[in-house]
Amino acid sequence: MPILKMIQILAGAACLVAGTTATAASNPPLVISYFVPRDREPIAGYVDRLDRVMTEVQRFYAEGMQAAGYGPLSFTLERDAEGRLVVHRVEGKLPLRDYGRDDSGKVRDEVAAALQARGASLHHRTLVIFQVLLEWRNGTAIEVGPYVGGGDHLGGTAWVYDDALLEPRRLSSRDPGGYYGKPCSVGEFNSHYIGGVAHELGHALGLPHVAGPKSERRHSLMGDGNHTYGEDLRGEGSGTYLHPASAMLLARCRPFAGVLEDGDRAPDCELQDLDARFDLGQLQLRGRLEASPPAFGVVAYNDPTAIPGDYEATGWTAAVDSNGRFNLVIGGLEPGSYELRLQVCHTNGASTRFAFLYHVNSQGTPDLSPFSPVRLILTQAGKAFAQGKRRQTLELLNRIEKEASVFPDLSRKARHLRSLLEPRTLIHPAAVPPSQKEVAVSDLEFSAASVGWGRPLRDQVWVEGGNPCFLEVGGRFFERGLYAHAPSSYGFAVGQKWKRLAAKYGLQDGHAGSVVLVVRGDGRELFRSERITNHNVQRLELDIGKVANLELAVEDAGDSSHSDWGVWLDPTLER
C-alpha cells in the first residue's frame, strides 16, 4: 500500500512564484517548495539559506548511508543553470491564522495545485514544503502550521518550517535568541528545526520511527535524533546518526536509488520455516522468505506495547541471501510485552510486514510460542482467503485445527476465518424485530460505506503483505467489527429505532499510524476521540434515540493517512 496516498489536486490554484525556476519536464525525485500565507512575506535570503539547509541534510544522509555500508548514497538536489537550488514559491490563498497544525492537506493541496498549473506533477515525487508558518510572539516561537511527514519509497511529503534563524552555519552557536519549548541558544534552535527537516523528510521517504540500542550514545534520527542534531558541534551531546534500519529502506528508495524497476508493483511475500530461539540474552529468528520481487533485507522493530506510539521501537536488521534465508538477532530484551514488526525489504523498494506479539518474563526470557510455525499457517490461510481461494483456505484451516490444540487462540481464529467463507444475510437496521434488544453493527446493511485503502469490510481487515485479516488491537482478537482505514465512513439508516450505540475502537495492531474516530448523527457530531497513536482498546457509549442516520467515521489526524488502520470493535446497537 502506498504510505502516503496522493491528495487530489484542487481546482483554482494558488499563485506560483518562482524563487528559482526549472523546467517542469525535468521532474526530479525531490521537489522543494516554499509556502507563504497570504498575509506574510518570504523571509529574506530564503533560497540560499534553504540551499544550505538541504545540502547539510544531504550530507548527513550520505554519511549515514556510507557508515551503514551502502556507500555515500543520498538524494539529489535540483539546481538551475547557475547552480542555485530550485525552490518553487507558492503564495497561499489564506492568511496565517487559517493554517493550523492539522492542515497538512490544505497546505499540500495549494502547493500541488500550483505546481500542476505550472505543468509539474507530483506523481512518484517527494515534496518538501518549507512553510512561513512559524510565528514569533514576544520572543516565543509558535508552531502554527503542520510539522509532519509521510510517504513511501516512491513519493511523499514533508511539512517543515522556515525561519530567519534557520541556518546550518549556526548549529555550533551558543548565542541566545532561539526558542523551542523554552528559550534556547541559536544553535539549539537549529538542532531542533534542521533536525526536524531531516526527520520529516525521512518520513516522506517512507521511514518509520526507530530507536537505537541503549549502548549507542548517539540518537537515531528517526527516534528522537531530530532534537539532538548537531549538538556535538556545541559539545552538548553525542549528536545524531542514521540507524541501519533506516539506511536499509533508503537503499531502494527512488530519491536515493533513482528509477526503480516495477517500483509501483505490489509485492508478494510468505514467511516460511520460522525458527525462534533465545540464547545469550538475545532473541534469534531464522527463516526463509518466498518473495516477489526478491527480498534483500529484513528490518525488525521491537516495540514495547506499554509505551504509546512507536518512538521506543528498537531496530535490528538482517540481510536476505539468494535462497531467501535470513538470521535476525534482537538484543536488549527487558521484561514486558512487545510487538515485533518485521518489515521485508524488496528490490523494487516496496515492503511487506509481519507482526508478532510476545512477552518477556521478569527473568528476561521471552515466550517463543507466538513464533510457532502453526501461526504462519494461519497467516497463509488468511492470505488465501483474501485472494478468494476457498479450497486452499479450507485445507490450511484443517491443518491448523489438527495441530492447534496447544494454541486455543489459533483455533478460535481458524473458526472465525471459516465462518467468513460462508455467505451471510444482512438486515436493515430499522427492520430488526422489536423483540431483539441488540444487534451487531457488522450484521447491518450500510446506507453508504467508504475506506481510505482497500474496501469496506465486516469482521475483518484488509490483507496486505504478511498481515492477517483479523481485527486485533493490543493483542486482543475481536470477531465483530469494521475495518476503517482513514479516511473512512460507514452510514446506517437507523430510523430512530435504537437507543444506544456501544462500541470499542482503536488502531489495528501492526500499524503505527494516527487516527481520530468520529460518530455523527444526522450530520451532527456526537463523539470525537482523542488522537490515537497507541494500540489500547477504547470504549464509547452514546445516546442515539433521536438519530435517523448514523455515521461511524475515521479521520487521519492531520498528518497524512500513512498506516492509519482505524477499526471499530464490537459496535452494537441497543434498544
Side-chain angles (χ1 to χ4, degrees), residues 392-458:
Q392 182 181 353
T393 303
L394 290 171
E395 290 174 352
L396 290 167
L397 292 177
N398 289 338
R399 287 177 59 189
I400 293 169
E401 290 168 351
K402 288 179 181 178
E403 302 181 38
S405 58
V406 182
F407 306 111
D409 62 317
L410 291 189
S411 296
R412 181 182 169 212
K413 288 180 178 178
R415 289 194 300 271
H416 178 67
L417 191 55
R418 191 182 293 274
S419 72
L420 293 177
L421 288 169
E422 303 305 321
R424 65 195 302 178
T425 301
L426 301 175
I427 187 169
H428 191 284
V432 178
S435 59
Q436 186 171 334
K437 299 305 180 183
E438 64 178 43
V439 64
V441 168
S442 58
D443 282 340
L444 300 176
E445 295 177 357
F446 305 141
S447 57
S450 64
V451 295
W453 176 248
R455 61 185 175 84
L457 291 171
R458 308 166 188 270

